Amino acid sequence: MLKSFAHIALLSGSLFLSGCSDQASYSKGVYMLVDTSGTYTTELTQAQRIINFTLAKLNPGDTFVVARVDTGSFSEKDIVQKQTFEDRPSMANQQKRLFREGINEFIEDVKPSAYTDITGGMLQAIEYMNEAKSGIKTILIFSDLKEEIQAGYNRDIPINLEGYRVIAINVTKLRSDNIDPVEYLDRLDSWRNKVESGGGQWQVINDLERLEPIFSS
Amino acid sequence: MSSELFMIVPSAFFSGVIWFLALVVSLYLARTPAHYSIRALSRVIHNAMRLSAHSIMHAETQLKQRNKEVLLAQGREASERIIEREFDRIEATVRRDLAEYPAIHRMLTEEIDRIDDDYKDSTEAPPNPPGWVKAVEAVAKIPSKGDPMVANILEDIHGSLQKANDKTLVEYRKANQVRHNYLKNMMPHWRKVLNLLTHVEKNVSSLFTRSTSIDRHMDEYEGILKRTDRSEQMLSSSSMTQFFISGIVLAIAVGGAIINFHLIARPLSEMVGGTSHIAGFQINTVSALVIILLEIAMGLFFMETMRITRLFPIIGALNDKIRIRLAVVFITILTFLACIEASLAFMRELLMEEDAATRAILRGDSASIVAQSSYLWITTAAQMGMGFILPFALMFVAIPLESFIHSMRTVLGVAAVSCLRLLEWLLRLGGDIVKFTGNALIQFYDFIIFAPLWIETMIKHRQDQHGPLGSPEQSHAHTDTNIRG
């Protein structure tokens, strides 16, 4: 008798709480694409700093994914580390430490790729983040934004970036950019058009000091 | 195109003049109904505003009456409480001190009996010299006349007399010493009597002080019952003071509650999670808020059961046994919550350390963790102490809260009366402005058509002089009436 009463009380309590609880998602989701092509692998230490910084800024319940950009990036195999942090802050801290260790191992063992499939990486990011159902979705692109697609790969497809914020970080200038800066500006413009036509917000951050505000929102 | 519509003649000036003349003539012809309309409109608005002002004044009077009732009722209740408390104290004093009075009286009687006995003992006369001494003395004074035998006898008598005298003197001294001893023995009894009387005097003067205080409160109470203006002013001023003082104390308590909130919100995320939301707020912050509100509620109920506050008459009306049991239950729950808070505060410190360590690792700076750890126990202890103390400190919010709620009724009433008075003044002012604006408009109307009016006056004046309409006085009066409408 007492047991059934306890069950009823628990059920009504949970129903009340589920009725009161807010279904909107307040969690952040960050998907970071790390360019591992050619000479850009020398910049990976910088990527490590950004990853650590991002880890420090994320809260329990947030999702963080780091994926490499290589010849064909539209693949789960390119995801280096992924984690949705636990509700409990202590558990989330442990997960952050493990995440960091995984990234360290990746940076030590990474091999440069021949091509740079950023679009494929972005498609993979969108697919993953839509599944994760994060409230605030951010794609960080750690690359010089020089895309090189292997022959036979179709990447001329529209990308739906509605509700996404795409931030290009550490967009280094290539030697050719130094000779003709228009090339660099055109590259940035083409990516801006691609993102904004897909409904996303575009931002470029080369000074890493300015990364702070993007996680405060 | 539109301006051409107004061109009656080619010249714009003459067209304007014609239009003006047409307007003046139209206004002159419509003068009486126009005056009537303006006056009627201004009167309608003026009367409506005056009526509203009157209604508001009535409402203000009722509100003032209600405020007075509330104020006097509160004052009466407060005075009754104070007088009741004073009587309780007097009862306690009487029960404690005057209950000892028979014992004190018996002690005093005993002491006085002892003093009396000692006094009686001390009054006993010293022993008299023997009765034959006078006879011997007379014989001793007989002159010996050179007879050696008589001289010897007299010397013997003298010697005996000396001895008897010495003996008497010794006995006398002994008797005096005994009397002095009796008197000396009286001293502690006197002191004891003095102490007892001082004690009695203190009790009596305490009662006297209390009775003076009761007299003062009774005077105030009588003033309240008689509904005197002085009592009302006094209570109103007291309510305002209470409102601001309790408001300040409540603001301080809110500060304490905020500190308390920050102390437990973070560690609660370990228990209930930090990602779920209720109405846009994180569930751990909502939980922290609920815990603090629970603590305040428990503190409030505890104060009620102790009859320190009287926010819930139903609790105060419970019988003493149940009330005390409830008080124990409330204080136990509060202590339990305080212990939870202390442990949460401890957990908070651990989490903060872990967070700092994780951040240091992510920064690649592990040296700072070791450098900080030597004095962290102080902050841990301080946080735990605060976590335990603050719930009990918040318990006392009940006292200013009660004052705030009670005085707020008066303050809100006074504020509402002021608002109504302001509204009434504005309506009266608006009504008067409309009335005088109507008069001014009539005057302005006549000013525009002054030319036809002047002609009319002249014609009437001439007609009056030639007499078909009657006497010049009647004509003037008629013109004035026309002008005034």
Side-chain angles (χ1 to χ4, degrees), chain B residues 309-360:
Chain B
T309 55
R310 293 185 183 185
L311 286 167
F312 302 99
I314 199 163
I315 295 179
L318 289 171
N319 72 49
D320 285 354
K321 202 175 173 183
I322 295 174
R323 203 167 45 80
I324 298 299
R325 277 181 189 170
L326 277 176
V328 172
V329 168
F330 291 139
I331 200 72
T332 308
I333 294 172
L334 194 62
T335 312
F336 183 66
L337 287 170
C339 291
I340 288 174
E341 274 211 16
S343 49
L344 282 173
F346 177 69
M347 196 169 151
R348 179 179 187 270
E349 189 56 43
L350 292 181
L351 288 171
M352 298 288 272
E353 280 178 37
E354 200 179 301
D355 277 357
T358 305
R359 277 199 300 272

Side-chain angles (χ1 to χ4, degrees), chain B residues 103-159:
Chain B
I104 292 171
H105 184 261
R106 199 181 62 243
M107 281 164 77
L108 271 172
T109 314
E110 282 171 4
E111 291 301 321
I112 287 166
D113 285 348
R114 277 189 205 117
I115 289 167
D116 195 40
D117 290 346
D118 285 345
Y119 179 72
K120 276 178 188 164
D121 290 342
S122 69
T123 53
E124 279 178 6
N128 289 325
W132 47 266
V133 173
K134 281 184 182 170
V136 173
E137 202 175 351
V139 173
K141 282 178 184 173
I142 297 168
S144 63
K145 292 178 183 174
D147 189 352
M149 198 173 163
V150 173
N152 283 340
I153 289 166
L154 287 172
E155 270 179 20
D156 284 346
I157 289 167
H158 181 71

Side-chain angles (χ1 to χ4, degrees), chain B residues 295-462:
Chain B
E295 285 166 2
I296 292 172
M298 288 301 124
L300 231 146
F301 290 143
F302 178 71
M303 296 300 244
E304 281 291 318
T305 49
M306 295 307 288
R307 286 192 176 154
I308 295 169
T309 55
R310 293 185 183 185
L311 286 167
F312 302 99
I314 199 163
I315 295 179
L318 289 171
N319 72 49
D320 285 354
K321 202 175 173 183
I322 295 174
R323 203 167 45 80
I324 298 299
R325 277 181 189 170
L326 277 176
V328 172
V329 168
F330 291 139
I331 200 72
T332 308
I333 294 172
L334 194 62
T335 312
F336 183 66
L337 287 170
C339 291
I340 288 174
E341 274 211 16
S343 49
L344 282 173
F346 177 69
M347 196 169 151
R348 179 179 187 270
E349 189 56 43
L350 292 181
L351 288 171
M352 298 288 272
E353 280 178 37
E354 200 179 301
D355 277 357
T358 305
R359 277 199 300 272
I361 289 168
L362 291 173
R363 281 199 310 268
D365 174 23
S366 55
S368 60
I369 311 164
V370 183
Q372 284 176 2
S373 58
S374 58
Y375 58 83
L376 278 176
W377 68 270
I378 300 172
T379 50
T380 310
Q383 286 187 49
M384 285 182 73
M386 277 167 71
F388 190 77
I389 296 292
L390 279 171
F392 292 105
L394 286 176
M395 179 175 81
F396 294 100
V397 165
I399 298 168
L401 184 71
E402 187 188 32
S403 294
F404 190 78
I405 290 168
H406 283 166
S407 57
M408 192 169 68
R409 289 179 73 189
T410 311
V411 173
L412 284 180
V414 170
V417 166
S418 303
C419 286
L420 285 178
R421 195 170 293 166
L422 181 71
L423 191 62
E424 183 200 334
W425 178 79
L426 285 173
L427 282 169
R428 281 181 183 279
L429 182 76
D432 285 346
I433 287 172
V434 169
K435 184 184 170 186
F436 290 112
T437 307
N439 289 343
L441 272 174
I442 288 168
Q443 298 298 325
F444 183 68
Y445 191 100
D446 286 352
F447 174 72
I448 294 170
I449 55 168
F450 76 94
L453 283 177
W454 180 71
I455 295 164
E456 182 193 331
T457 312
M458 290 291 289
I459 292 166
K460 280 185 178 163
H461 185 67
R462 192 168 292 170

